């Protein structure tokens, strides 16, 4: 009989009752003994326009009470094959960007050192930079990045290098990412400059614009993604603005003409075989949400990622 953490049984305690934790799992003080640590990063100090993603983790926890125990397509039952719990929110500082990044990195390094794979909810996309600093401590990792934006700009506001529009440029400069093993999917929308993505492409990043995704479809694009990252360590980051704002309006930088929720689910389900070392869902901004629908999208994408990660762990154990 498994001793893994289990969600509160919704046939005993209804989904709207009790403390809100990710997936109704126990809240634990440490990642010791966990295979996958669910964690919030409630910080949006890197946001350049509409703030609010700092409120993301709490609302995603709330909506994640709708997640059940098994995936209806893959049959994966993540809580049966992996030990998963909610380790709470990482410490943040809403009024000091540098201190916030340092706190996030230090706390995430503790989760990684405990041997757990982090699955986090932001926060704006800058939180992925300190997460990568912790996850890529032994060398650069690959990246599968779903987003409307490349997030590889250089500086904002008089040379400031740290915003949610710059994390992946900084990550490449810091040697956290192997740019030849980076693919960005869903990129679209107006840009500051026609050459805005030239730097990223010159590094070797593969950018799949939304229009190319529509032409080729999920199966083909994800086959390419799996080939690009190969079997090396790979991080998966899902910016909820990759999804069309008609389905995910609660985000700071919406762009029309985006992925559907179903296309997004299909792509995450095609991550099988990828050596995932961590993942996140970012940019859920509840102040702009409608009836919690974007937080539900975030929670559901988190569950999709969790199922893929738990299945990876289970396959390794059985190999
Ligand atoms: Mn982003
Ligand atoms: Mn974005």
């Amino acid at each position: 009989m498994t001793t893994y953490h289990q969600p509160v049984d919704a046939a005993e305690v209804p989904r709207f009752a009790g403390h809100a934790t990710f997936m109704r799992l126990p809240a634990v003080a440490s990642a010791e003994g966990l295979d996958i640590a669910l964690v919030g990063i409630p910080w949006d100090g890197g946001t350049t326009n509409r703030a609010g993603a700092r409120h993301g983790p709490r609302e995603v926890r709330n909506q994640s009470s709708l997640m059940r125990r098994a995936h209806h397509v893959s049959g994966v039952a993540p809580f049966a094959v992996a030990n998963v719990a909610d380790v709470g929110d990482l410490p943040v500082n809403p009024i000091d960007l540098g201190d916030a990044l340092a706190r996030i990195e230090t706390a995430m390094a503790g989760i990684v050192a405990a041997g757990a794979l982090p699955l986090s909810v932001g926060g704006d996309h800058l939180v992925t930079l300190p997460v990568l600093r912790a996850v890529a401590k032994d060398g650069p990792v690959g990246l599968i990045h779903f987003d409307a934006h490349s997030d590889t700009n250089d500086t904002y506001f008089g040379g400031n290098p740290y915003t949610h529009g710059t994390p992946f440029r900084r990550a490449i400069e810091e040697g956290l990412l192997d740019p030849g093993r980076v693919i960005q999917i869903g990129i679209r929308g107006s840009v500051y400059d026609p050459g805005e993505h030239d730097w990223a492409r010159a590094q070797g990043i593969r950018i799949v614009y939304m229009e190319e995704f529509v032409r080729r479809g999920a199966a083909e694009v994800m086959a390419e993604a799996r080939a690009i990252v190969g079997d090396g360590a790979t991080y998966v980051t899902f910016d909820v603005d990759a999804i069309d704002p008609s389905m995910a309006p609660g985000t700071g930088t919406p762009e029309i003409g985006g992925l559907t929720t179903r296309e997004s689910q299909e792509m995450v389900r095609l991550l099988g075989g990828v050596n995932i070392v961590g993942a996140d869902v970012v940019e859920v901004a509840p102040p702009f949400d409608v009836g919690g629908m974007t937080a539900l999208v975030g929670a559901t994408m988190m569950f999709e990622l969790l199922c893929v990660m738990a299945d990876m762990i289970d396959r390794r154990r059985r190999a």
Side-chain angles (χ1 to χ4, degrees):
M1 195 57 199
T2 179
T3 55
Y4 294 163
H5 295 296
Q6 295 298 307
V8 175
D9 188 343
E12 301 292 334
V13 181
R15 295 187 183 279
F16 48 83
H19 297 288
T21 60
F22 288 123
M23 317 285 170
R24 288 165 52 95
L25 287 162
V28 300
S30 138
E32 291 293 335
L34 299 183
D35 296 306
I36 301 170
L38 307 184
V39 57
I41 313 180
W43 186 78
D44 60 13
T47 302
T48 54
N49 185 12
R50 306 197 303 172
R54 67 179 64 180
H55 304 292
R58 187 167 286 190
E59 288 308 314
V60 171
R61 280 190 175 92
N62 186 20
Q63 293 296 330
S64 76
S65 70
L66 276 82
M67 300 304 113
R68 301 183 186 88
R69 289 170 184 262
H71 196 282
H72 76 288
V73 177
S74 65
V76 171
F79 314 113
V81 297
N83 201 18
V84 191
D86 184 335
V87 299
D89 287 340
L90 300 188
V92 294
N93 181 340
I95 59 164
D96 186 325
L97 186 147
D99 185 51
L101 298 189
R103 289 176 188 223
I104 294 166
E105 178 186 349
T106 300
M108 186 55 82
I111 291 172
V112 173
L117 300 183
L119 174 51
S120 61
V121 174
D124 72 45
H125 222 154
L126 185 55
V127 303
T128 304
L129 179 63
V131 170
L132 286 172
R133 286 172 178 162
V135 167
K137 64 180 185 345
D138 297 327
V141 299
L143 182 73
I144 299 178
H145 174 191
F146 301 96
D147 205 322
H149 314 99
S150 172
D151 296 347
T152 52
N153 285 322
D154 192 2
T155 62
Y156 287 63
F157 312 119
N160 195 308
Y162 299 110
T163 81
H164 69 160
T166 65
F168 303 110
R169 187 152 176 154
R170 298 291 93 81
I172 287 170
E173 291 170 346
E174 294 180 22
L176 307 174
L177 293 176
D178 174 355
R181 295 181 53 235
V182 174
I183 182 168
Q184 304 184 317
I185 301 166
I187 311 301
R188 63 186 185 277
S190 57
V191 288
Y192 289 91
D193 179 278
E196 181 163 312
H197 299 146
D198 291 352
W199 183 90
R201 272 195 293 264
Q203 307 306 306
I205 292 179
R206 172 76 167 100
I207 297 178
V208 179
Y209 289 107
M210 192 61 208
E211 292 71 18
E212 181 184 348
F213 172 81
V214 170
R215 278 199 308 278
R216 296 174 65 204
E220 204 177 305
V221 167
M222 291 311 291
E224 184 183 356
R226 291 193 304 270
I228 283 173
V229 299
D231 52 17
T234 299
Y235 192 82
V236 180
T237 188
F238 194 97
D239 185 327
V240 80
D241 71 29
I243 295 175
D244 193 84
S246 63
M247 296 182 175
T251 194
T253 319
E255 305 285 353
I256 71 164
L259 298 169
T260 65
T261 47
R262 195 168 57 192
E263 288 165 342
S264 303
Q265 290 172 293
E266 189 181 353
M267 281 197 278
V268 169
R269 293 168 194 171
L270 291 168
L271 289 170
V274 175
N275 177 9
I276 300 173
V277 293
D280 60 38
V281 176
V282 297
E283 299 283 359
V284 172
F288 303 104
D289 208 1
V290 178
M293 65 190 285
T294 311
L296 176 62
V297 168
T300 308
M301 294 312 298
M302 189 188 193
F303 183 74
E304 294 279 355
L305 287 162
L306 173 65
C307 288
V308 169
M309 293 165 74
D311 188 46
M312 175 187 79
I313 288 166
D314 185 38
R315 284 172 192 272
R316 279 183 192 155
R317 279 205 182 104
R318 291 191 281 110

